[in-house]
Amino acid sequence: MDIQFLGAARQVTGSRYRLDVAGKRIMVDCGLFQEREHLDRNWEMPITDARSIDVLLLTHAHLDHCGLVPRLVASGFNAPIITTEPSRDLAEIIMLDSARIQQEDAKYKRRRHRKEGRRGRHPALPLYKTGDAERATKMIRGVPYGQPVDLGDGVSVTFHESGHILGSAILEVKSPGPNGQHHLVFSGDLGQWDKPLVGDPKLLRRADAVVLESTYGDRHHRESGNVDEQLERVVNRTIDRGGNVVIPTFAIERAQDLLFHLSTLLHAKRIPKVPVYLDSPMAVDVTDVFRRHRDYMDDETSALLAAGKSPLRFPGLRMSRTVKESRAINADDRPKLILSTSGMCNAGRIKHHLRRNIGRAKSTILFVGYQAHGTLGRIILEGANEVRIHGKWYPVRAERAQIYGFSAHGDQGDLMRWIGHFDPRPRQVFLTHGELSAAQTLARRIGTLGVAVTIPGYREVVTLPAGEANVVR
């Protein structure tokens, strides 16, 4: 069994792996690179012949896990794409929206480059078009949690709840070995325990090797305090001074998680009744997908929905789909909350809201998710005095705030709880999907369990021996 690490290797985004096992070529994830220094990798083809791939498995529908699937399709990939049922619906929204943004950004860059008389490193073309995304969506097959899927030649995959976003999954790949079945587990992105909306990560017992995410391998979310209390303080002090709370958010899970907590605070009268805008057509569509797949939600949320008490709707919430509706938000001078994509401020409507608010000392830019190195969100968060948005420089006078507890990723304690449940221990753990410092910190912790830990590099190939130790018979 050979595994090649084609992304999220000593970095956070661009998740993708190539697995050659039992004569089959399997790809796990095909995500977009979002760190500025790695954007060139989006133009590289991960595999010379996309037609050689027998199946593509998606852990979940975030852009950095499925955002390059249409490009793979445009390059000749024509095989099944398998994921969970909610991820199938969410991936369709994500990929079509990404194609639209790719086309719009390419058009804008061409216009700007002509005006400035320069050329970029790559052609001012989209990575893929809407037609490529539409073809990709037709190839996706949704399966439930816990049901083994036969991939042929004795190879199977089972999707388990990862607790990250709706439909997110841990992948358990089983293949024939000399002394029984060989287990390779991909953690995907692991969530936290006891979070609203989605279930807890599934604890597995057996694995020969594990590919484990390490995004927050050096962090402890709970040290930051209660999420509701932190959100309450930020909202109240900003509204008291007459400003807006601008929240860059991810359309999937984070936006819905925020709505859940804001609904709780509003009904408890802990924050004032001010307009709350969800300004993202995609986030609105995603919220509808959440309502359709209530059987994938945790028991608390399912009960609220069944009783007609949706935590995803409350007085004052306004959903903005059209450009006209989005522009009207900034025409309203009243203090308000603005939730808008993208979560790392790299594209989308959030940039327009930042332009209007980042220079206002009364307003707050509130970050509730991971900001990858080199992204606009990270630059703002790290204290830049001015930032470049849509080709112009803006001074940063707004308050900068961050709440870690909202993260859809588990912290070091969550990751250790999950990996520590395997019995016997895996022979090998590969840490991906994290900056090198976070992965190194987590590697030292996992090493105390007596497990060999590797932090693979980009495009590194590892051969996994199917030995006797830890093999499930």
Side-chain angles (χ1 to χ4, degrees):
M1 181 187 292
D2 287 348
I3 180 171
Q4 185 175 22
F5 298 86
L6 295 166
R10 305 186 182 187
Q11 61 171 120
V12 174
T13 69
S15 177
R16 57 189 187 190
Y17 312 90
R18 190 209 80 216
L19 182 63
D20 289 336
V21 56
K24 304 192 74 65
R25 173 158 288 182
I26 300 168
M27 243 188 122
V28 175
D29 287 343
C30 189
L32 199 69
F33 292 87
Q34 294 174 298
E35 294 99 335
R36 186 167 295 176
E37 66 266 39
H38 298 311
L39 293 179
D40 287 349
R41 293 179 181 176
N42 289 323
W43 294 90
E44 302 171 4
M45 283 315 302
I47 292 178
T48 304
D49 185 4
R51 292 170 296 183
S52 69
I53 303 168
D54 296 300
V55 64
L56 170 60
L57 309 176
L58 295 181
T59 60
H60 63 285
H62 268 154
L63 197 62
D64 61 328
H65 289 258
C66 72
L68 277 183
V69 173
R71 182 164 172 79
L72 193 68
V73 170
S75 302
F77 171 75
N78 187 27
I81 302 172
I82 304 175
T83 188
T84 66
E85 293 160 330
S87 291
R88 174 197 59 207
D89 296 346
L90 293 173
E92 179 176 353
I93 295 170
I94 289 290
M95 291 191 289
L96 288 171
D97 184 77
S98 178
R100 178 186 58 79
I101 291 174
Q102 291 286 335
Q103 291 172 167
E104 289 178 357
D105 283 355
K107 183 178 179 180
Y108 176 77
K109 285 179 182 178
R110 286 195 296 270
R111 188 167 62 244
R112 197 176 82 198
H113 288 176
R114 282 197 301 267
K115 182 179 179 180
E116 297 174 356
R118 67 183 182 89
R119 298 178 63 182
R121 288 173 56 86
H122 299 284
L125 298 171
L127 286 165
Y128 49 84
K129 298 180 180 179
T130 302
D132 302 318
E134 289 173 343
R135 286 196 298 276
T137 63
K138 293 175 182 177
M139 299 159 66
I140 304 177
R141 171 188 168 195
V143 299
Y145 286 137
Q147 178 178 295
V149 180
D150 184 11
L151 303 181
D153 298 316
V155 182
S156 69
V157 61
T158 304
F159 292 75
H160 301 285
E161 170 72 77
S162 78
H164 177 59
I165 65 171
L166 185 72
S168 61
I170 298 160
L171 304 188
E172 184 180 16
V173 179
K174 297 180 183 179
S175 60
N179 301 294
Q181 282 188 323
H182 188 275
H183 282 211
L184 172 62
V185 172
F186 292 86
S187 74
D189 285 353
L190 289 175
Q192 303 180 51
W193 270 261
D194 303 319
K195 292 282 286 182
L197 300 180
V198 298
D200 294 337
K202 174 77 172 180
L203 293 170
L204 302 183
R205 298 289 291 179
R206 299 279 181 169
D208 297 289
V210 175
V211 179
L212 174 63
E213 72 120 316
S214 58
T215 306
Y216 285 123
D218 57 351
R219 302 275 181 89
H220 297 278
H221 297 325
R222 290 158 187 80
E223 292 179 356
S224 303
N226 180 275
V227 166
D228 283 339
E229 292 174 359
Q230 294 178 75
L231 183 59
E232 178 184 3
R233 288 195 295 268
V234 172
V235 170
N236 284 333
R237 68 173 176 257
T238 305
I239 300 303
D240 285 348
R241 62 178 181 246
N244 300 325
V245 182
V246 178
I247 309 178
T249 188
F250 299 95
I252 302 178
E253 195 277 334
R254 196 64 44 79
Q256 294 74 33
D257 200 8
L258 275 163
L259 294 181
F260 183 98
H261 287 279
L262 289 171
S263 175
T264 300
L265 293 174
L266 281 163
H267 284 115
K269 298 182 180 180
R270 292 169 59 181
I271 60 175
K273 292 182 179 179
V274 296
V276 177
Y277 291 93
L278 180 59
D279 185 27
S280 166
M282 181 169 61
V284 174
D285 290 340
V286 166
T287 303
D288 290 338
V289 173
F290 269 67
R291 295 192 188 101
R292 290 203 304 271
H293 288 286
R294 63 177 61 183
D295 51 328
Y296 279 82
M297 294 187 182
D298 67 356
D299 293 340
E300 178 188 2
T301 308
S302 295
L304 287 171
L305 290 169
K309 300 177 181 178
S310 173
L312 305 180
R313 287 195 184 278
F314 50 83
L317 175 61
R318 305 174 188 189
M319 306 279 200
S320 301
R321 286 186 179 273
T322 68
V323 172
K324 182 179 179 181
E325 290 170 336
S326 180
R327 288 173 177 165
I329 295 172
N330 290 314
D332 183 354
D333 292 330
R334 293 176 298 169
K336 54 192 164 294
L337 278 64
I338 305 170
L339 287 59
S340 187
T341 51
S342 68
M344 297 186 194
C345 307
N346 274 0
R349 295 181 180 181
I350 188 61
K351 286 192 168 185
H352 297 277
H353 297 302
L354 289 173
R355 284 171 55 181
R356 291 296 298 267
N357 287 277
I358 202 162
R360 299 182 66 215
K362 292 182 178 181
S363 293
T364 297
I365 313 302
L366 173 60
F367 295 95
V368 294
Y370 185 82
Q371 303 299 307
H373 183 71
T375 60
L376 177 58
R378 181 70 165 264
I379 292 167
I380 295 170
L381 196 55
E382 289 184 338
N385 292 322
E386 60 177 4
V387 292
R388 193 167 186 257
I389 305 173
H390 292 152
K392 295 183 179 180
W393 290 93
Y394 294 85
V396 182
R397 300 190 183 98
E399 177 187 347
R400 291 168 254 222
Q402 185 173 27
I403 299 177
Y404 286 110
F406 271 113
S407 179
H409 288 269
D411 63 7
Q412 185 187 97
D414 295 314
L415 297 172
M416 289 301 298
R417 176 179 178 179
W418 186 80
I419 196 68
H421 194 264
F422 286 94
D423 183 21
R425 306 295 190 202
R427 290 199 302 273
Q428 181 74 55
V429 171
F430 301 95
L431 295 183
T432 62
H433 217 290
E435 293 180 7
L436 184 58
S437 60
Q440 289 172 331
T441 300
L442 184 60
R444 288 191 290 271
R445 284 295 314 277
I446 295 174
T448 64
L449 301 177
V451 178
V453 184
T454 301
I455 306 173
Y458 179 56
R459 290 189 174 274
E460 184 174 337
V461 179
V462 174
T463 298
L464 302 177
E468 292 188 17
N470 296 3
V471 174
V472 178
R473 299 182 186 279

